[in-house]
Amino acid sequence: MSNCERCKGLINQKLDNELLDLEQPELEEHLKQCDSCSTYYQRMSDLHNRLLSLPIIDTQESIVDQLILDIDNIKKENKDIKFKSFNKHWFTRYGLATAAAIVLFVVPITFLANQNNIEESADSVEFMAAEAPDEKASISNLEIQTDNTLASDSVSRGDGNYGAQAVAFELYKIEEVSNQLIISKDEEVIFKTKQWEDNLSVEFYQINENEISYSLLNEDGQEIASYIINLIENKEDKILD
Amino acid sequence: MDQKELIQLAKTGNKEALVDLLKSVERSIYSTAFYYMGNEHDAKDITQEALIRVYTKLDSFEEKAQFTTWVQRITTNLCMDKFRSNKHNISIEGAEMIIQDCIDTEKEVENKIMVEELMTKVMLLPEKIKAAMILRYFNEFSYQEIAEVLDIPVNTVKSYLFRGREKIYVEYHQGGVNNE
């Protein structure tokens, strides 16, 4: 064992059932010799067991039972592609389903020529209703009024493919230039982030009409900081160190 | 009937299979959303949206992927989007009301405060660390499965779980809670 830091890593792997067989003797040997790591192991095991014992939370009433009554309505709405006057709560839900249906059936036609990237990779399990590689993609021309919260029907996180969203809002153009993000609308630059260091990479996506999130990753792909840019207030806030 | 059969039947339009399938993941969706958002209201909203997405996108689900991983990815993405877009209005209510129903034995009642505090500490973790911890502890996902859900490298998952546990541990001791 080279040092106690490595031992801590192995202890955490062990707690996660991810310790390799060949690493087990190395860990045991170090724990025999190092009181500090033994104490750390006991404390982390204790915490781990408490975390494991936390309850899985149940709803008081089944949400499926509430939803299933409206499944047929959702289907019907998908066919009609028009909204009725729901109360706000249900509008959000139906709006979501309908928007999903619209981008499922209508947007692919619009973007037929650009669909080379639509196929999901074998490992990608998040379905994208409309993966439009063009960052200017907008379905506003369908004259759909919908809640923005429906818009970020996410999203291949981690690949910086900000165009890959089923959106009900206009996407900004976001470019990575000289270690900073430059955000433009109608060919006009409206925001520039601070520059980051050469050894970092960036992931970004548009959250909603007014906000863009980006994260900086080190060479190991580890996220070291995340920011949200608010384009109305023209500022960025750090959300993760 | 196992989950694969339910998926196949639900895809053909069998409503009963669809209900059973959605019910089989409802609890895990809600639990993830509750721990992520920290309050019942947002958790219910996200559960509803996630269930609708599972339903509307079921045809696109490829059976070579794991259904539970796919569902959790939908759920986690919804949580992240809602959390970030409402980040100034997120209310962490903690677990006091919820946990009443989950505790049965006298011994567990004695530990109620400790459990509530620990739940709240999970809810207050930084976003991605919290997501990894929730998938690990409430869905029993492996490093690889968490990496797929969050679309991050396996080593990052390892680092998030390491940091998550250390952060909770340090805060416990700073908060003066006897954890020995």
Side-chain angles (χ1 to χ4, degrees):
Chain A
M1 178 76 63
S2 57
N3 56 47
C4 293
E5 284 308 308
R6 174 164 165 74
C7 180
K8 285 185 178 178
L10 294 180
I11 287 169
N12 277 275
Q13 279 175 238
K14 184 175 174 65
L15 297 177
D16 292 325
N17 301 319
E18 302 271 356
L19 188 68
L20 302 175
D21 286 346
L22 55 89
E23 292 169 326
Q24 178 76 28
E26 185 186 358
L27 174 62
E28 285 173 4
E29 190 61 30
H30 183 82
L31 289 176
K32 277 182 199 166
Q33 297 165 6
C34 180
D35 289 344
S36 167
C37 284
S38 292
T39 306
Y40 175 86
Y41 180 42
Q42 283 169 8
R43 287 175 173 170
M44 283 300 145
S45 295
D46 180 55
L47 174 62
H48 171 74
N49 289 329
R50 291 181 187 207
L51 284 164
L52 283 175
S53 71
L54 287 181
I56 304 292
I57 310 296
D58 265 329
T59 54
Q60 302 290 329
E61 298 168 344
S62 168
I63 293 172
V64 174
D65 285 341
Q66 296 164 31
L67 267 183
I68 210 69
L69 299 171
D70 298 295
I71 284 288
D72 293 334
N73 287 338
I74 292 170
K75 275 185 185 169
K76 209 176 289 174
E77 289 305 310
N78 288 347
K79 282 179 189 167
D80 292 348
I81 315 184
K82 76 180 180 189
F83 295 117
K84 293 179 181 175
S85 298
F86 300 103
N87 65 45
K88 188 176 183 300
H89 187 65
W90 284 100
F91 178 85
T92 305
R93 271 83 229 167
Y94 290 130
L96 170 70
T98 310
I102 289 165
V103 291
L104 261 172
F105 300 116
V106 180
V107 175
I109 297 168
T110 312
F111 294 108
L112 203 55
N114 291 327
Q115 280 196 327
N116 291 340
N117 294 331
I118 287 181
E119 292 300 320
E120 289 288 320
S121 71
D123 293 329
S124 179
V125 289
E126 168 64 287
F127 170 78
M128 290 305 307
E131 288 199 21
D134 180 356
E135 68 277 13
K136 297 294 282 184
S138 166
I139 56 172
S140 59
N141 60 331
L142 296 173
E143 296 179 350
I144 299 163
Q145 288 190 328
T146 184
D147 189 317
N148 280 341
T149 57
L150 311 179
S152 44
D153 183 11
S154 301
V155 55
S156 325
R157 289 184 197 283
D159 61 5
N161 186 5
Y162 51 87
Q165 297 186 44
V167 290
F169 49 79
E170 186 174 6
L171 286 164
Y172 295 98
K173 184 177 181 184
I174 312 170
E175 293 175 296
E176 183 187 349
V177 181
S178 304
N179 293 351
Q180 67 179 152
L181 292 181
I182 297 179
I183 299 152
S184 316
K185 188 176 184 182
D186 300 329
E187 304 302 322
E188 187 184 338
V189 174
I190 56 172
F191 192 87
K192 288 183 181 177
T193 65
K194 293 171 191 167
Q195 283 189 303
W196 55 81
E197 295 167 14
D198 284 340
N199 60 338
L200 301 178
S201 59
V202 67
E203 292 176 354
F204 53 90
Y205 73 101
Q206 188 170 337
I207 301 169
N208 57 38
E209 198 157 15
N210 304 317
E211 291 182 309
I212 290 164
S213 164
Y214 74 98
S215 302
L216 298 177
L217 290 78
N218 65 17
E219 286 157 341
D220 296 328
Q222 189 173 343
E223 188 176 21
I224 59 165
S226 287
Y227 301 84
I228 289 186
I229 301 166
N230 186 318
L231 295 166
I232 298 295
E233 296 173 15
N234 208 32
K235 65 171 190 177
E236 59 179 333
D237 291 325
K238 199 168 190 177
I239 56 172
L240 173 67
D241 280 318
Chain B
M1 195 179 296
D2 69 19
Q3 204 168 49
K4 275 190 178 176
E5 291 171 314
L6 282 177
I7 293 167
Q8 282 169 354
L9 268 178
K11 278 184 173 183
T12 65
N14 184 314
K15 197 168 171 180
E16 197 178 333
L18 176 67
V19 172
D20 287 349
L21 183 65
L22 294 179
K23 283 194 171 179
S24 75
V25 292
E26 177 179 21
R27 192 176 183 222
S28 68
I29 292 174
Y30 183 76
S31 208
T32 294
F34 184 84
Y35 276 101
Y36 201 103
M37 302 305 295
N39 70 77
E40 198 176 351
H41 176 78
D42 285 335
K44 278 186 176 171
D45 273 0
I46 284 171
T47 305
Q48 212 163 48
E49 290 193 16
L51 288 166
I52 289 175
R53 286 190 192 199
V54 170
Y55 163 58
T56 55
K57 297 174 178 184
L58 191 60
D59 285 342
S60 74
F61 171 70
E62 295 178 22
E63 283 164 32
K64 58 190 169 189
Q66 280 237 24
F67 186 66
T68 49
T69 315
W70 182 69
V71 168
Q72 283 300 319
R73 182 159 178 162
I74 289 173
T75 308
T76 309
N77 282 346
L78 282 169
C79 289
M80 285 181 176
D81 289 341
K82 193 170 184 78
F83 196 88
R84 289 181 182 188
S85 60
N86 297 341
K87 75 184 181 94
H88 298 301
N89 298 315
I90 292 294
S91 142
I92 304 286
E93 290 172 353
E96 193 171 348
M97 296 299 290
I98 300 298
I99 210 167
Q100 298 282 358
D101 297 333
C102 306
I103 289 181
D104 297 324
T105 69
E106 196 173 324
K107 189 182 174 192
E108 280 177 297
V109 173
E110 286 171 12
N111 289 331
K112 182 171 172 286
I113 292 173
M114 186 278 290
V115 172
E116 284 173 6
E117 279 195 31
L118 189 53
M119 288 175 78
T120 306
K121 287 190 190 308
V122 172
M123 292 168 189
L124 291 172
L125 285 169
E127 263 192 85
K128 291 204 170 177
I129 292 176
K130 174 166 62 177
M133 291 286 280
I134 289 169
L135 294 168
R136 167 69 184 92
Y137 282 102
F138 307 111
N139 294 279
E140 297 181 10
F141 280 9
S142 66
Y143 285 172
Q144 184 60 44
E145 287 167 329
I146 297 171
E148 283 171 19
V149 170
L150 300 181
D151 204 3
I152 54 177
V154 167
N155 274 340
T156 307
V157 173
K158 187 173 159 183
S159 164
Y160 282 172
L161 294 175
F162 183 108
R163 285 159 60 194
R165 279 189 286 258
E166 292 225 324
K167 195 168 171 56
I168 290 174
Y169 180 79
V170 167
E171 283 181 5
Y172 247 107
H173 285 264
Q174 282 176 347
V177 176
N178 182 4
N179 196 34
E180 297 300 325

